[in-house]
Amino acid sequence: MNEKKTRVRVASFSISLDGYGAAADQSLDNPMGIGGMDVHNWVFSTRWWKQIQGGEGGTEGIDNDFLVRGFENLGAWIIGRNMFGPVRGSWPDMNWKGWWGNNPPYHVPVYVLTHYARPPLKMEGGTTFYFITEGIHDALAKAREAANGKDIRIGGGVNVIQQYLREGLIDELHIAITPTIIGRGERLFDNVDLRKLGYECVRFEASEKVTHVILQHNK
């Protein structure tokens, strides 16, 4: 029997028209920076979003389909320290447990890239956060083992995605280009030569609120 190949992918990563995936001045009150949350407005009316919030209703169609697709066949996540929370530097205590409450939406192991060690954090619903201090390759190796043939999703932030892109380690990148302008912050493709790295656009599809683009790596 053929084993299914683990794919490393980014899904539903929203950017502004001027290329920013996060705005400047991130804080507890503004986790995506000032104005940064605007790039996610296309998500909030979807059926998928309503369901993960414990509600009903919401719109179906292209946007919802892409959101659902992003969670299919996942065995592990890798995210950056900033995506886990606003705490910087060494951990003052173990009180911060993420933005998502006691039952985060991952439901699989999540590997958090950080410079500061912390014991694993087991949450409800099958999510355990593992804090990785040895860099992107160590996190990917651990995620592959945990995924056991399923896909690995690279979450935010921008810097984490850039590190994996520059190494050609992302098989598929789905970005959602939104009709917003941020002005300053973190641009997703700064100093990333997608053509030289072997990425090409294989799908380009627009809804009323956003344009979905899928890039794949030609290995």
Side-chain angles (χ1 to χ4, degrees):
M1 184 167 59
N2 293 328
E3 291 186 9
K4 187 167 183 179
K5 179 180 178 294
T6 293
R7 294 188 307 150
V8 180
R9 54 194 178 97
V10 173
S12 303
F13 192 85
S14 303
I15 64 174
S16 63
L17 284 175
D18 47 350
Y20 292 95
D25 303 319
Q26 294 179 352
S27 66
L28 185 60
D29 293 330
N30 294 287
M32 296 294 297
I34 295 175
M37 195 60 71
D38 292 347
V39 299
H40 299 288
N41 285 339
W42 67 277
V43 173
F44 302 137
S45 62
T46 61
R47 181 178 180 85
W48 175 87
W49 177 259
K50 301 293 186 185
Q51 286 179 334
I52 69 165
Q53 298 295 310
E56 297 180 353
T59 59
E60 298 186 0
I62 296 171
D63 297 341
N64 190 71
D65 290 346
F66 269 102
L67 289 166
V68 171
R69 180 180 183 272
F71 277 81
E72 291 175 347
N73 194 47
L74 291 184
W77 281 69
I78 298 172
I79 65 174
R81 169 79 178 264
N82 292 3
M83 186 169 171
F84 178 73
V87 181
R88 302 293 184 264
S90 59
W91 303 98
D93 51 51
M94 301 297 117
N95 292 335
W96 180 263
K97 297 182 179 180
W99 302 101
W100 311 277
N102 293 325
N103 189 0
Y106 302 104
H107 311 302
V108 292
V110 179
Y111 297 87
V112 182
L113 292 163
T114 177
H115 295 294
Y116 300 92
R118 177 174 171 170
L121 176 61
K122 187 173 183 179
M123 307 293 285
E124 296 175 10
T127 300
T128 300
F129 293 104
Y130 296 94
F131 300 88
I132 307 300
T133 59
E134 299 300 317
I136 65 170
H137 294 282
D138 184 51
L140 185 56
K142 288 180 167 63
R144 281 191 189 280
E145 184 176 357
N148 194 28
K150 291 187 174 182
D151 291 348
I152 299 165
R153 181 165 166 178
I154 309 292
V158 168
N159 180 260
V160 171
I161 295 174
Q162 287 176 342
Q163 289 184 66
Y164 281 103
L165 275 176
R166 291 184 185 123
E167 296 288 328
L169 294 171
I170 294 174
D171 298 305
E172 181 180 284
L173 173 70
H174 164 223
I175 57 173
I177 304 173
T178 63
T180 56
I181 296 175
I182 289 181
R184 64 191 185 99
E186 300 176 45
R187 279 198 178 98
L188 181 60
F189 296 125
D190 268 2
N191 301 312
V192 176
D193 189 335
L194 291 171
R195 181 185 290 271
K196 185 177 180 180
L197 290 168
Y199 288 92
E200 66 175 358
C201 179
V202 298
R203 187 172 175 185
F204 186 90
E205 190 171 355
S207 70
E208 293 181 358
K209 295 183 177 181
V210 65
T211 298
H212 299 279
V213 178
I214 291 185
L215 306 171
Q216 287 183 351
H217 189 253
N218 294 323
K219 293 185 176 178

